[in-house]
Amino acid sequence: GVHTTASIGGADMPVVITVLNSYSGWALCAEGFMLNNNLLTIVGALIGSSGAILSYIMCVAMNRSIVNVLFGGYGTSSTGGGKAKEVTGVHTEVTLDGTVEMITAAKN
């Protein structure tokens, strides 16, 4: 789990959580096979397949492949080495009294 989630961030994390949920279902299914327990095998298969289907649906909704989500962050650094972004625009300071006055003067 640590290696899978180490390079994941942002909007990809829910997909990784459903993939890990699917992995736990497949592990339960394998445990059911080893113990010759039909209930564990069936429940594990249901959990594993539902997690895999949900992961696929989420990847389709984000217009990305599961491979891109899981392995897209490997080899990248978290600190940028480029030039810092310049701040442009006009800055207007507002005090608390000015904020209250603007809110009370607002129509909607």
Side-chain angles (χ1 to χ4, degrees):
V2 172
H3 294 291
T4 305
T5 58
S7 64
I8 305 296
D12 295 339
M13 190 54 74
V15 176
V16 174
I17 291 171
T18 59
V19 167
L20 292 174
N21 188 20
S22 177
Y23 289 168
S24 71
W26 298 125
L28 184 66
C29 185
E31 183 179 355
F33 275 121
M34 289 189 300
L35 296 176
N36 198 17
N37 187 335
N38 291 336
L39 182 64
L40 287 180
T41 305
I42 292 170
V43 171
L46 287 174
I47 293 171
S49 60
S50 65
I53 291 169
L54 181 59
S55 300
Y56 173 74
I57 290 171
M58 292 171 76
C59 285
V60 168
M62 293 191 318
N63 198 21
R64 297 181 64 192
S65 68
I66 189 74
V67 175
N68 189 339
V69 169
L70 293 178
F71 303 115
Y74 282 110
T76 60
S77 62
S78 61
T79 58
K83 182 179 160 187
K85 184 177 178 182
E86 295 180 19
V87 179
T88 59
V90 178
H91 171 74
T92 305
E93 285 193 30
V94 178
T95 63
L96 179 63
D97 295 330
T99 305
V100 171
E101 185 178 317
M102 284 190 272
I103 291 174
T104 55
K107 298 276 186 210
N108 203 357

